[in-house]
Amino acid sequence: MRKEVKDMLNPRVKLFIATCLVLLSAVVCFASDEVITQVSTIDALMSGVYDGVTTLGELRKNGDLGTGTLDRLDGELILLDGVFYQVTIDGTVVKPDLGTKTPFAAVTFFTADRSLKLKVGSNFREFTDGTEKWFPSRNIFYAVKMTGTFRSVKARSVPSQKRPYRPLDEIAKTQPIFEFKNVTGTVVGFWCPPFVKGTGIPGYHLHFITSDKKAGGHILDFVAGDVTAEFDDTREFFLILPDDDDFDKADLARDRTTELKAVEK
Ligand code: ZN
């Protein structure tokens, strides 16, 4: 009798184990590195939601490359090879504490799917036009990493803010701009498809850091020297909305395309 029960259970046990294995492999398949994780929306940042909500330590669990800003808009954030860098208001770089919070950032684990050499002497506009024609699709995301020597890089940073917070396009009018000549370094960031408008930044959003990790900023323009660009095709986008009063009360219905252009260029 005992043996019969054992025989009857055996197929069930086998089925249970098989089901577990299938579920486990499904979890492994879906837990991909091919995802961009973003904190907050660009329109929330544009409207002045500047208080940090996610620590850099938390953010680093979701990527080794990325861009963003820091608590109270305190400079430009760069994540390169798993290390965070903060470009301060004078263009110099410090390593922020992992407990520092960010109000807006995007990160991913970078693995190159395609690469190209930039035409020597080409600027940001030409790079944008050329790569947008070259991409296999303009409906997916690309994480970007460019390494090499630039004839010039024009970059900016943003100053830390105090309440009451002013909108970003007002702050950007007085942003400090730095110009680097014949500089070696790395560019990190993303190209996002047009349909992310309001949530992310359509087109390129790139940050620069010199190879000695001493200076950098949010890229406004560049002229390429000997530069290789690598792209990580990405079809997953994970959005973390701030659990924050300012965010909950922000007017995010308004179209901020014009203000965004003023801020990004
Ligand atoms: Zn930026």
Side-chain angles (χ1 to χ4, degrees):
M1 180 66 190
R2 197 175 281 170
K3 190 174 182 298
E4 271 170 32
V5 170
K6 208 175 163 190
D7 284 346
M8 277 170 65
L9 278 177
N10 263 346
R12 286 190 193 168
V13 171
K14 279 179 194 158
L15 181 66
F16 176 73
I17 290 168
T19 309
C20 286
L21 285 174
V22 168
L23 287 175
L24 185 67
S25 62
V27 167
V28 169
C29 286
F30 282 110
S32 102
D33 282 353
E34 294 294 307
V35 52
I36 293 168
T37 300
Q38 184 180 299
V39 174
S40 193
T41 70
I42 188 62
D43 276 14
L45 189 75
M46 296 283 306
S47 74
V49 182
Y50 298 148
D51 282 348
V53 287
T54 303
T55 66
L56 301 185
E58 278 298 311
L59 198 60
R60 203 171 60 174
K61 291 176 189 165
N62 298 295
D64 56 12
L65 174 142
T67 58
T69 184
L70 294 107
D71 186 37
R72 292 170 293 111
L73 207 68
D74 191 10
E76 305 284 349
L77 181 68
I78 292 157
L79 176 60
L80 173 61
D81 299 328
V83 181
F84 284 105
Y85 302 94
Q86 175 182 9
V87 182
T88 63
I89 189 60
D90 64 1
T92 58
V93 169
V94 295
K95 280 189 190 169
D97 190 278
L98 285 179
T100 309
K101 289 181 175 180
T102 172
F104 179 81
V107 300
T108 192
F109 288 102
F110 188 85
T111 41
D113 290 308
R114 59 195 72 249
S115 67
L116 59 78
K117 284 286 266 185
L118 269 64
K119 204 176 144 201
V120 175
S122 59
N123 63 19
F124 195 3
R125 181 75 257 158
E126 288 159 337
F127 168 73
T128 303
D129 292 347
T131 49
E132 284 182 349
K133 284 187 194 116
W134 172 78
F135 285 153
S137 171
R138 286 193 221 179
N139 297 332
I140 66 169
F141 296 78
Y142 300 91
V144 185
K145 187 178 186 179
M146 292 201 261
T147 316
T149 304
F150 295 81
R151 286 185 181 172
S152 68
V153 176
K154 191 175 156 192
R156 70 112 198 270
S157 190
V158 278
S160 148
Q161 297 297 300
K162 286 197 180 89
R163 285 180 181 277
Y165 293 145
R166 294 174 298 148
L168 192 53
D169 60 324
E170 270 184 42
I171 295 161
K173 280 177 197 160
T174 56
Q175 67 193 6
I177 293 171
F178 324 109
E179 196 127 18
F180 306 101
K181 296 278 184 195
N182 299 315
V183 65
T184 302
T186 305
V187 171
V188 299
F190 301 92
W191 185 93
C192 294
F195 59 78
V196 302
K197 188 165 87 77
T199 301
I201 302 165
Y204 280 110
H205 176 222
L206 304 174
H207 287 186
F208 175 72
I209 185 158
T210 55
S211 53
D212 62 8
K213 311 286 191 289
K214 285 187 175 162
H218 166 110
I219 291 186
L220 300 170
D221 202 0
F222 65 77
V223 178
D226 181 15
V227 179
T228 301
E230 296 174 290
F231 300 86
D232 183 0
D233 307 4
T234 307
R235 290 173 185 268
E236 291 177 43
F237 184 75
F238 187 79
L239 184 62
I240 302 168
L241 296 179
D243 184 0
D244 173 270
D245 221 36
D246 284 354
F247 179 82
D248 288 355
K249 287 174 183 154
D251 173 13
L252 301 182
R254 191 155 66 76
D255 188 324
R256 293 175 197 270
T257 308
T258 314
E259 292 104 304
L260 183 62
K261 275 193 183 136
V263 167
E264 289 301 312
K265 301 296 167 220

CSV table of all heavy atoms in Angstrom, one decimal, residues 67-68 76-77 156 201 205-207 217-219 264, ligand 1:
chain,number,residue,atom,x,y,z
A,67,THR,N,23.4,58.5,-17.1
A,67,THR,CA,23.4,59.9,-16.9
A,67,THR,C,22.3,60.4,-16.0
A,67,THR,O,21.4,59.6,-15.7
A,67,THR,CB,23.2,60.7,-18.3
A,67,THR,OG1,21.9,60.2,-18.7
A,67,THR,CG2,24.2,60.4,-19.3
A,68,GLY,N,22.4,61.6,-15.5
A,68,GLY,CA,21.4,62.2,-14.6
A,68,GLY,C,21.8,63.4,-14.0
A,68,GLY,O,22.8,64.1,-14.4
A,76,GLU,N,25.9,67.6,-12.9
A,76,GLU,CA,25.6,66.5,-13.9
A,76,GLU,C,26.2,65.2,-13.4
A,76,GLU,O,27.3,65.1,-12.9
A,76,GLU,CB,26.3,66.9,-15.3
A,76,GLU,CG,25.9,68.3,-15.8
A,76,GLU,CD,24.5,68.3,-16.4
A,76,GLU,OE1,23.9,67.2,-16.6
A,76,GLU,OE2,24.0,69.4,-16.7
A,77,LEU,N,25.4,64.2,-13.5
A,77,LEU,CA,25.8,62.8,-13.0
A,77,LEU,C,26.2,61.9,-14.2
A,77,LEU,O,25.6,61.9,-15.3
A,77,LEU,CB,24.6,62.2,-12.3
A,77,LEU,CG,24.8,60.8,-11.7
A,77,LEU,CD1,25.8,60.8,-10.6
A,77,LEU,CD2,23.5,60.2,-11.3
A,156,ARG,N,28.1,71.7,-20.3
A,156,ARG,CA,27.6,72.6,-19.2
A,156,ARG,C,27.4,71.8,-17.9
A,156,ARG,O,27.3,70.5,-17.9
A,156,ARG,CB,26.3,73.2,-19.6
A,156,ARG,CG,25.1,72.2,-19.7
A,156,ARG,CD,24.1,72.5,-18.7
A,156,ARG,NE,23.2,71.4,-18.5
A,156,ARG,CZ,22.1,71.1,-19.2
A,156,ARG,NH1,21.7,72.0,-20.1
A,156,ARG,NH2,21.4,70.1,-18.9
A,201,ILE,N,14.1,61.9,-22.8
A,201,ILE,CA,14.6,62.9,-23.7
A,201,ILE,C,14.7,62.3,-25.1
A,201,ILE,O,15.6,61.5,-25.3
A,201,ILE,CB,15.9,63.4,-23.2
A,201,ILE,CG1,15.8,64.0,-21.8
A,201,ILE,CG2,16.5,64.5,-24.2
A,201,ILE,CD1,17.1,64.2,-21.1
A,205,HIS,N,21.0,62.3,-25.4
A,205,HIS,CA,21.3,63.0,-24.2
A,205,HIS,C,22.6,62.4,-23.7
A,205,HIS,O,22.7,61.2,-23.3
A,205,HIS,CB,20.2,62.8,-23.2
A,205,HIS,CG,20.5,63.4,-21.8
A,205,HIS,ND1,20.2,62.8,-20.6
A,205,HIS,CD2,21.1,64.6,-21.5
A,205,HIS,CE1,20.6,63.5,-19.6
A,205,HIS,NE2,21.1,64.6,-20.2
A,206,LEU,N,23.7,63.2,-23.8
A,206,LEU,CA,25.0,62.7,-23.6
A,206,LEU,C,25.8,63.5,-22.6
A,206,LEU,O,25.7,64.7,-22.5
A,206,LEU,CB,25.8,62.7,-24.9
A,206,LEU,CG,25.2,62.0,-26.1
A,206,LEU,CD1,26.0,62.2,-27.4
A,206,LEU,CD2,25.1,60.5,-25.9
A,207,HIS,N,26.6,62.8,-21.7
A,207,HIS,CA,27.4,63.5,-20.8
A,207,HIS,C,28.9,63.1,-21.1
A,207,HIS,O,29.1,62.0,-21.5
A,207,HIS,CB,27.1,63.1,-19.3
A,207,HIS,CG,25.8,63.7,-18.9
A,207,HIS,ND1,25.3,63.6,-17.6
A,207,HIS,CD2,24.9,64.5,-19.5
A,207,HIS,CE1,24.2,64.3,-17.4
A,207,HIS,NE2,23.9,64.8,-18.6
A,217,GLY,N,30.8,67.2,-18.2
A,217,GLY,CA,29.6,68.0,-18.2
A,217,GLY,C,28.6,67.4,-19.2
A,217,GLY,O,28.8,66.3,-19.9
A,218,HIS,N,27.4,68.0,-19.3
A,218,HIS,CA,26.3,67.7,-20.2
A,218,HIS,C,26.7,68.2,-21.6
A,218,HIS,O,27.0,69.4,-21.7
A,218,HIS,CB,25.0,68.3,-19.6
A,218,HIS,CG,23.9,68.3,-20.6
A,218,HIS,ND1,22.8,67.5,-20.5
A,218,HIS,CD2,23.7,69.0,-21.7
A,218,HIS,CE1,21.9,67.7,-21.4
A,218,HIS,NE2,22.4,68.7,-22.2
A,219,ILE,N,26.8,67.4,-22.6
A,219,ILE,CA,27.3,67.8,-23.9
A,219,ILE,C,26.3,68.7,-24.6
A,219,ILE,O,25.1,68.3,-24.8
A,219,ILE,CB,27.6,66.6,-24.7
A,219,ILE,CG1,28.9,65.9,-24.1
A,219,ILE,CG2,27.9,67.0,-26.2
A,219,ILE,CD1,29.4,64.8,-25.0
A,264,GLU,N,18.4,71.6,-23.5
A,264,GLU,CA,19.3,70.6,-24.0
A,264,GLU,C,20.3,71.1,-25.0
A,264,GLU,O,21.4,70.5,-25.2
A,264,GLU,CB,18.5,69.5,-24.7
A,264,GLU,CG,17.7,68.6,-23.8
A,264,GLU,CD,18.5,67.9,-22.7
A,264,GLU,OE1,19.6,67.3,-23.1
A,264,GLU,OE2,18.2,68.0,-21.6
B,1,ZN,ZN,22.3,66.0,-19.0
